């Protein structure tokens, strides 16, 4: 179980963690920056598609380990009272953050699906869809950032 926790909860320990707290958030930030070129060019490069597949892998690894941990009864650290009303990180605990973490995880999977639809041009004309690619990847980056933030920081209702 500790190996799963280590894989699922890995975070960068540098000041840059304010911009991308996890490897997943970093990969989505790179995807966001990279998505600007296809929006202007009107075509997706092979390397962008490969990076998108890597982002899928970096999404599914924490999802799979998170589901296994949740089935074992684990919750995000910000939702667990380790004593005196504080979380693992010494901040007020907030049980509502666990469901919020799940919500953002679902948004990440949904936004990756939307990005796939835009890249493949299935439901919307390809050139038109690629113009929305930076918006979809910006949403994905925001969701990836919030997944890490929700796991660590308390929300607006600590202790409830």
């Amino acid at each position: 179980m500790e190996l799963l926790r280590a894989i699922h909860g890995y975070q960068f320990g540098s000041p840059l963690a304010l911009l991308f707290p996890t490897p997943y958030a970093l990969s989505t930030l790179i995807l966001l920056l990279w998505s600007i070129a296809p929006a202007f060019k009107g075509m997706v490069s092979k390397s962008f598609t490969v990076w998108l597949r890597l982002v899928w892998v970096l999404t599914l690894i924490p999802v799979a380990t998170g589901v296994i941990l949740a089935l074992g009864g684990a919750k995000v650290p910000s939702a667990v009272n380790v004593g005196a009303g504080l979380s693992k990180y010494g901040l007020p605990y907030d049980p509502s953050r666990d469901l919020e973490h799940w919500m953002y995880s679902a948004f990440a999977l949904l936004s990756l699906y939307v990005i796939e639809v835009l890249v493949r041009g299935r439901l919307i004309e390809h050139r038109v869809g690629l113009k929305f690619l930076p918006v979809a990847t910006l949403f994905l980056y925001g969701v990836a950032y919030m997944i890490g933030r929700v796991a660590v920081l308390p929300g607006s209702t600590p202790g409830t």
Side-chain angles (χ1 to χ4, degrees), residues 19-89:
L19 186 58
F20 44 87
T22 62
Y24 177 54
L26 175 61
S27 69
T28 59
L29 178 62
I30 292 169
L31 189 70
L32 166 63
L33 297 174
W34 206 334
S35 71
I36 295 169
F40 284 112
K41 290 181 183 176
M43 59 181 279
V44 177
S45 66
K46 190 73 156 165
S47 54
F48 180 85
T49 307
V50 169
W51 190 260
L52 180 59
R53 298 300 176 264
L54 179 65
V55 171
W56 268 107
V57 169
L58 290 173
T59 302
L60 294 176
I61 289 172
V63 166
T65 56
V67 167
I68 293 168
L69 288 169
L71 290 174
K75 296 183 181 219
V76 296
S78 64
V80 178
N81 185 1
V82 295
L86 300 176
S87 71
K88 170 183 168 182
Y89 297 104

Side-chain angles (χ1 to χ4, degrees), residues 24 59 103-113 140 143-144 147:
Y24 177 54
T59 302
M103 176 192 71
Y104 283 120
S105 300
F107 280 154
L109 291 171
L110 181 64
S111 60
L112 273 171
Y113 175 74
L140 177 63
V143 166
I147 288 171

Side-chain angles (χ1 to χ4, degrees), residues 38-44 114 117-136:
F40 284 112
K41 290 181 183 176
M43 59 181 279
V44 177
V114 168
V117 167
L118 294 174
V119 166
R120 292 178 186 230
R122 300 284 169 136
L123 298 176
I124 189 169
E125 199 269 315
H126 191 66
R127 285 187 162 283
V128 174
L130 289 180
K131 295 200 183 302
F132 295 105
L133 192 59
V135 175

Side-chain angles (χ1 to χ4, degrees), residues 11 21-22 24-25 101 104 142-153:
Q11 295 179 342
T22 62
Y24 177 54
H101 191 70
Y104 283 120
V143 166
Y145 182 83
M146 287 303 293
I147 288 171
R149 185 177 183 277
V150 163
V152 176
L153 300 174

